[in-house]
């Protein structure tokens, strides 16, 4: 299907070029397609298109199944690298902040203030969340204590959104497992926050306009740190952005999948056809397609292969 054959694993421009290649078989470089265009270079760098013909004047595609395998392998390698950077970044951050255990207490220094009470930390969170003028990044995890705020939820102020501020809310996937967690994400999204999820969010944090951050360093909720040091803010911003890249939107009916539906999703991620899945699972093709429809709705995926990729990122598999 045009526009979806590579399951969103390349840019829209590269996807469109690949679809043209699959329709035509080959394209002439410099005539049918710009050999130095970003989308051309992207496909060649990913190994899903290559030069051929006399003088390497033609651009040829690899088959869709092979292309998907190459792209998924690349995505997996990139994910492993990002996870390693995330872990190293968190260890480095904790070490630089001087935190060595629950209640041992981080040491204050230039650009780092210790907040040692939950009410004060909650009040500061409300203050910071409402103060954004450009970009507010917020990370949430259910494993850390939360002090109820006066308004119960941290919601983007309409005035800030109207002025062009962007709010990014990153939630641990565990929020989908409880009604209040799903409601919190739904209310935040309705208020204008860009809501994403990932399997593991190691702490709570609010980072406002790359100028101030509030970070919880212990599961008990305190002590929390108010950070204004420029070098530490850069680490926090990079750390959040890496997690944001490795996240998914909580679209569709986010319901648990049965064991049979999970198996079908895993098979989808390998590029198997409905008939192959049915044969391997010992069920009818109609049953396979029903499982696929449920999984796609639950994952907010537009294609079957994208459902498999999204399920893996959510930690469902």
């Amino acid at each position: 299907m045009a526009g979806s054959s590579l399951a969103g694993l390349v840019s829209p421009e590269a996807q469109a070029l690949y679809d043209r290649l699959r329709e035509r078989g080959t394209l002439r470089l410099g005539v049918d397609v710009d050999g130095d265009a970003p989308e051309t270079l992207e496909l060649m760098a990913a190994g899903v298109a290559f030069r051929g013909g006399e003088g390497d004047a033609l651009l040829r595609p690899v088959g869709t199944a092979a292309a998907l395998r190459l792209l998924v392998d690349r995505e997996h390698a990139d994910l492993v690298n990002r996870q390693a950077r995330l872990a190293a970044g968190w260890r480095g951050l904790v070490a630089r902040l001087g935190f060595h255990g629950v209640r041992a207490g981080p040491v204050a220094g230039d650009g780092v203030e210790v907040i040692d009470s939950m009410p004060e930390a909650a009040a500061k969170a409300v203050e910071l969340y409402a103060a954004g003028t450009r970009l507010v990044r917020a990370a949430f995890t259910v494993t850390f204590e939360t002090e109820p705020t006066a308004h119960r939820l941290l919601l983007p102020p309409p005035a800030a959104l109207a002025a062009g501020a962007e709010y990014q809310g990153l939630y641990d996937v565990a929020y989908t497992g409880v009604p209040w967690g799903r409601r919190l994400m739904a209310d935040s999204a309705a208020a204008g926050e860009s809501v994403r999820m990932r399997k593991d969010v190691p702490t709570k944090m609010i980072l406002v306009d790359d100028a101030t951050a509030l970070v919880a360093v212990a599961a008990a909720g305190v002590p929390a740190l108010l950070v204004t040091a420029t070098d530490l803010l850069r680490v926090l911003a990079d750390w959040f952005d890496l997690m944001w890249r490795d996240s998914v939107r909580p679209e569709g009916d986010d319901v648990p999948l049965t064991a049979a539906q999970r198996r079908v999703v895993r098979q989808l991620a390998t590029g198997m056809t409905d008939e192959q899945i049915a044969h391997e699972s010992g069920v009818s093709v109609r049953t396979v397609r029903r499982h696929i429809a449920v999984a796609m709705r639950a994952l907010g995926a537009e294609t079957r292969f994208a459902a498999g990729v999204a399920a893996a990122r959510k930690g469902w598999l």
Side-chain angles (χ1 to χ4, degrees), residues 102 143-145 216-222:
V102 178
T143 61
F144 278 52
E145 289 183 0
V217 293
V222 291

Side-chain angles (χ1 to χ4, degrees), residues 189-238:
E193 182 180 81
S194 296
V195 173
R196 303 292 290 263
M197 301 186 310
R198 76 184 306 269
K199 186 177 180 181
D200 296 303
V201 177
T203 190
K204 293 191 300 184
M205 178 185 76
I206 298 175
L207 174 59
V208 181
D209 296 336
D210 292 318
T212 308
L214 181 68
V215 186
V217 293
V222 291
L225 303 177
L226 186 65
V227 180
T228 55
T230 302
D231 57 343
L232 292 178
L233 290 170
R234 289 198 196 99
V235 172
L236 289 170
D238 184 53

